[in-house]
Amino acid sequence: GAVVSQHPSRVICKSGTSVKIECRSLDFQATTMFWYRQFPKKSLMLMATSNEGSKATYEQGVEKDKFLINHASLTLSTLTVTSAHPEDSSFYICSALSGLAGTYEQYFGPGTRLTVT
Amino acid sequence: GQSLEQPSEVTAVEGAIVQINCTYQTSGFYGLSWYQQHDGGAPTFLSYNALDGLEETGRFSSFLSRSDSYGYLLLQELQMKDSASYFCAGTTSGTYKYIFGTGTRLKVLA
């Protein structure tokens, strides 16, 4: 149980276009999901907390107008990178918070590698 | 702010024991988790400490000392497949979000 999927796994887009990344909890409901980005050989940096039915909470320094997050259902959160630029190229990873069995653990998706040309 | 520091790289041989340290400065600290990540993959959960002391899960153990703002991951009977990056992640009370440590790249040599 507690499987999280992401789609797409890889995407290449041209500078100036927008890209949407989906994060789904497959076998549990997640009222809270998190979005991270990770540069090569670096740590995961929390971008925002996505709450079902409400606005996302962004970490300091993350542009909310550039990284649009929508959490429309208990199993789906989307991250849209708007007007992408080469510096947005990164590995984007989501996680979903599961409250199964009274524990609160984050389950991570497999990640999406974004390359902006 | 919040920060969790780890050594950048550790090298050990198969069968050995290695300890990866994590020191943190986190206001409202609640607990410390450990994750393993292979290149190109997602982080996978290893262990969690909410209380001081040692938690043992098979070959992996994790330790936490709140008074020292310090924790470590202990890997025993190292195997080649343990070569990966290891991250500590702190959570704060009142929120479930993680702040990840700087990460440690473990190389296991034959």
Side-chain angles (χ1 to χ4, degrees), chain A residues 32-50:
Chain A
T32 302
M33 292 182 173
F34 302 92
W35 287 95
Y36 299 84
R37 69 185 297 182
Q38 185 178 31
F39 292 107
K41 300 187 188 303
K42 297 294 184 182
S43 186
L44 285 79
M45 185 193 80
L46 179 65
M47 299 174 66
T49 302
S50 171

Side-chain angles (χ1 to χ4, degrees), chain A residues 34 38 43 59 97 106 108-109, chain B residues 35 37 42 96-97 100-101:
Chain A
F34 302 92
Q38 185 178 31
S43 186
E59 295 298 305
L97 188 67
Q106 289 191 31
F108 285 83
Chain B
Y35 283 82
Q37 185 183 33
Y96 297 111
K97 65 181 184 181
F100 276 83

